[in-house]
Amino acid sequence: MTCLLKMRAMRDQMSVNERKLADFIMENTKLLRDYSSQQLADAVGVSQSSVVKFSQKLGYKGYPSLKLAVYESYAGALNQSAPEEGYTHLSQADTPISQLGQKKLEVLENTVSINEPEQLQAAVAAIRSARCIQVSACSGSAAVAQYLTYQLLELGAWAVFDQGGALQKSMAESLQGEDLLCIICDMGGEESLVDIANNARERGVKVLSLTRYNYNAASIHADVSLYVMPAEEEQAMQRLLFRSAQLHVIESLIGGLLIADQ
Amino acid sequence: MTCLLKMRAMRDQMSVNERKLADFIMENTKLLRDYSSQQLADAVGVSQSSVVKFSQKLGYKGYPSLKLAVYESYAGALNQSAPEEGYTHLSQADTPISQLGQKKLEVLENTVSINEPEQLQAAVAAIRSARCIQVSACSGSAAVAQYLTYQLLELGAWAVFDQGGALQKSMAESLQGEDLLCIICDMGGEESLVDIANNARERGVKVLSLTRYNYNAASIHADVSLYVMPAEEEQAMQRLLFRSAQLHVIESLIGGLLIADQ
DNA sequence: TTTTCTGCAGAATACATTATTCAAAACACC
DNA sequence: GGTGTTTTGAATAATGTATTCTGCAGAAAA
């Protein structure tokens, strides 16, 4: 900041050309970034040597030093004047797309804060100790469920994604005491899922649920319940963000497995 | 932020001297402020011309440009990493799992900062205007690719996930001028993918790539290139974070489609 | 009014830094 | 081991920066 301030302070006691230079620099600070001494001289209408002398008079070794100082001064001012405008940025510009980043961050934070670390830990433990894992989802969460299945398989867990339909029930019925059933669900109300969950649980199968954060059948009947905090957005965007949060929880699980594995 | 990130990303495919330069700059970022190209050359132990060529290879006009970019990059990093009380938290406690949140946030921010808004916009446009979309991935990114395919289908795009194997080529060959090929790839080097991409492009098919951020065959031969910034972590965790970043880019695309749809 | 004196401005030029060229060396690929 | 490509640094051209020096304008002294 010092540099630009200094200029303003000295403005009164400057010669004509010096003042022209100072004014130009203060007006067009960011232009300076890619001006050579000659260009600046031309722009202001003075000689190149005057530019250099001006720099030295202000106490810098030469023009490049002045340039840097001005630049720092300018950058510093920016930092201060835009102090807490909020979040670290998941966005560069302010395009509609980048605003999505903000929303996402918000949803993710909310989601993290509603899940008890113990539940996460328990979920990780359940996965680790399971023999076979069935991943079942409502249609809206199928993509997410399949993603989870992939990751589990990669880590050596014997996970199967339940495509729904006729197989769903028969698969679930083959689960045994040491196995795990993962229910991933938007609302947590889908009947067929709640059914197989209850059924499985009666036979000692552990049930892990990942649902929207509210009272819902699926999470109530699960041994371990994880939640997602939905955003307040219009339909389509909300779905997108919801999945994003689901994925984040899943990533946390996978991360937990990796850490525990070591 | 971009400049230093770029260096880190390209480090692997640099020549010996280039890497020496990159390392020195990343270690001694603030020293650079008052180094001339000659001084830097001496400090690193290479010739002055190598310094200039290094700058140009990274995409800058010359050494002064690089210097400025590094400086800005550095200043930018300071702003972000020391906001005021640190990051918004993707973590509640300081459990190992929750630290993952920090890493993820970092990777996501880096990833956002390296993708030009124009490229994102172009990608969205390409998807919107495509008749058929083939989503092809290397094995490590299959889960992510499939996730994208799901979302695209849901939005009414005619997307097909390429399972690899025998079908890959014949599918790609059926693509026509109005179609789109999405290549999702860890390293961007997988031959079969580069092959079908080149082939498709010759027939006027648009190619969209999503790869690690560095020079790689896939992104070079694509019409639109999107990137992911990998983390510096041990193997398994890095994969997890890498996918997380891939998913974030994909979510941005979907978000873009939603917005444009309105 | 004329004569110094002082300090600023710019042309010319010396100096410094940066960019390019080119030939030799290192490297990768048969 | 031979061949073509990339990388490297010495020499040099091009550009950019600092200094010198001359002239000029205005203020103070004669």
Side-chain angles (χ1 to χ4, degrees):
Chain A
M1 195 71 133
T2 329
C3 175
L4 289 173
L5 287 180
K6 199 190 288 182
M7 273 190 217
R8 193 171 317 159
M10 302 206 165
R11 212 192 96 98
D12 299 340
Q13 12 192 323
M14 286 178 177
S15 71
V16 187
N17 276 8
E18 286 169 347
R19 194 167 316 158
K20 277 201 275 181
L21 277 166
D23 288 347
F24 182 89
I25 292 173
M26 290 191 290
E27 293 286 305
N28 310 68
T29 309
K30 56 194 163 188
L31 279 184
L32 213 68
R33 205 199 99 123
D34 2 57
Y35 270 26
S36 68
S37 62
Q38 184 64 64
Q39 285 175 294
L40 175 58
D42 293 346
V44 177
V46 301
S47 73
Q48 181 261 343
S49 64
S50 293
V51 172
V52 175
K53 280 173 208 156
F54 176 73
S55 309
Q56 292 169 333
K57 209 166 198 176
L58 278 171
Y60 302 98
K61 221 184 65 196
Y63 174 69
S65 309
L66 170 79
K67 194 162 144 179
L68 249 169
V70 166
Y71 187 70
E72 281 167 348
S73 184
Y74 176 67
L78 275 189
N79 284 354
Q80 290 195 309
S81 72
E84 60 242 25
E85 76 181 30
Y87 289 74
T88 42
H89 327 281
L90 272 190
S91 52
Q92 352 175 241
D94 247 340
T95 69
I97 288 190
S98 72
Q99 286 165 13
L100 180 66
Q102 301 301 319
K103 295 270 168 55
K104 172 167 169 170
L105 198 51
E106 204 181 306
V107 170
L108 258 47
E109 280 176 351
N110 290 340
T111 296
V112 166
S113 71
I114 55 175
N115 283 295
E116 306 290 340
E118 296 76 35
Q119 289 288 300
L120 261 172
Q121 213 47 65
V124 169
I127 292 173
R128 281 179 61 70
S129 65
R131 201 187 51 140
C132 299
I133 304 175
Q134 173 173 353
V135 183
S136 297
C138 69
S139 63
S141 297
V144 171
Q146 190 147 50
Y147 185 80
L148 171 63
T149 311
Y150 257 102
Q151 308 304 311
L152 289 176
L153 283 169
E154 197 175 84
L155 291 179
W158 199 250
V160 178
F161 171 63
D162 151 27
Q163 308 264 0
L167 275 175
Q168 182 168 69
K169 224 175 157 193
S170 62
M171 275 173 62
E173 277 162 4
S174 74
L175 290 176
Q176 296 170 17
E178 304 157 349
D179 297 333
L180 176 68
L181 174 65
C182 293
I183 303 282
I184 301 182
C185 205
D186 296 1
M187 294 302 175
E190 188 140 315
E191 274 193 43
S192 68
L193 292 177
V194 178
D195 280 356
I196 59 170
N198 281 331
N199 229 292
R201 228 151 89 99
E202 278 168 20
R203 294 200 313 287
V205 177
K206 277 216 171 180
V207 176
L208 166 61
S209 72
L210 174 58
T211 66
R212 169 189 292 256
Y213 185 53
N214 59 9
Y215 280 120
N216 63 69
S219 68
I220 289 168
H221 295 114
D223 297 282
V224 184
S225 305
L226 297 175
Y227 297 100
V228 168
M229 190 69 180
E232 290 161 336
E233 286 289 315
E234 45 80 26
Q235 206 52 54
M237 205 51 94
Q238 188 183 69
R239 263 212 311 269
L240 176 61
L241 291 169
F242 189 82
R243 282 173 194 161
S244 195
Q246 287 180 313
L247 286 171
H248 185 66
V249 175
I250 287 173
E251 280 165 10
S252 302
L253 287 178
I254 306 296
L257 286 168
L258 288 173
I259 291 166
D261 273 352
Q262 283 164 2
Chain B
M1 191 73 130
T2 327
C3 176
L4 289 173
L5 287 180
K6 200 189 284 182
M7 274 190 216
R8 214 171 71 197
M10 309 230 163
R11 212 193 96 95
D12 298 339
Q13 41 205 181
M14 285 179 178
S15 69
V16 187
N17 277 9
E18 287 169 345
R19 193 168 316 158
K20 277 200 274 181
L21 279 164
D23 288 347
F24 182 91
I25 292 174
M26 289 190 289
E27 294 286 305
N28 310 69
T29 309
K30 55 196 161 182
L31 280 186
L32 212 69
R33 206 201 97 122
D34 0 58
Y35 269 26
S36 68
S37 63
Q38 185 65 61
Q39 285 175 297
L40 174 59
D42 292 346
V44 176
V46 301
S47 73
Q48 181 261 343
S49 65
S50 292
V51 172
V52 175
K53 279 173 207 155
F54 175 75
S55 310
Q56 292 170 331
K57 210 165 196 176
L58 279 171
Y60 301 99
K61 223 185 63 196
Y63 174 69
S65 308
L66 171 79
K67 196 163 144 181
L68 248 168
V70 166
Y71 187 72
E72 281 167 348
S73 185
Y74 176 68
L78 278 187
N79 287 354
Q80 284 199 311
S81 72
E84 35 259 27
E85 54 175 45
Y87 281 73
T88 42
H89 326 283
L90 272 190
S91 53
Q92 353 176 238
D94 249 342
T95 69
I97 289 189
S98 73
Q99 285 164 16
L100 179 66
Q102 299 302 316
K103 295 270 168 55
K104 174 168 168 172
L105 195 52
E106 201 183 309
V107 170
L108 257 46
E109 278 176 354
N110 289 343
T111 296
V112 167
S113 75
I114 54 175
N115 283 298
E116 306 289 341
E118 296 77 36
Q119 290 286 301
L120 262 172
Q121 213 46 66
V124 169
I127 293 172
R128 281 181 60 72
S129 65
R131 203 187 48 140
C132 300
I133 304 176
Q134 173 173 355
V135 183
S136 297
C138 69
S139 63
S141 297
V144 170
Q146 192 147 49
Y147 185 80
L148 171 62
T149 311
Y150 259 100
Q151 308 304 310
L152 289 177
L153 283 168
E154 197 175 84
L155 290 179
W158 199 249
V160 178
F161 171 62
D162 152 26
Q163 307 264 1
L167 276 176
Q168 181 168 68
K169 224 178 155 192
S170 61
M171 275 173 62
E173 276 162 5
S174 74
L175 290 177
Q176 296 170 14
E178 304 157 350
D179 298 334
L180 175 68
L181 175 65
C182 293
I183 302 282
I184 301 183
C185 205
D186 297 1
M187 296 303 176
E190 190 140 310
E191 275 195 42
S192 67
L193 292 178
V194 177
D195 279 357
I196 60 168
N198 281 331
N199 230 292
R201 227 150 90 96
E202 279 169 19
R203 292 200 314 286
V205 177
K206 276 217 171 179
V207 176
L208 165 63
S209 72
L210 174 58
T211 66
R212 170 189 291 256
Y213 184 53
N214 60 11
Y215 279 121
N216 64 68
S219 70
I220 289 169
H221 294 115
D223 297 283
V224 183
S225 306
L226 298 174
Y227 298 100
V228 168
M229 189 70 192
E232 288 162 333
E233 287 289 316
E234 45 80 26
Q235 207 53 56
M237 207 48 95
Q238 188 182 68
R239 262 211 312 270
L240 176 61
L241 291 170
F242 190 82
R243 282 174 195 160
S244 193
Q246 286 181 313
L247 286 172
H248 185 67
V249 175
I250 286 172
E251 280 166 9
S252 301
L253 287 178
I254 305 296
L257 287 168
L258 288 174
I259 291 166
D261 271 354
Q262 285 163 358

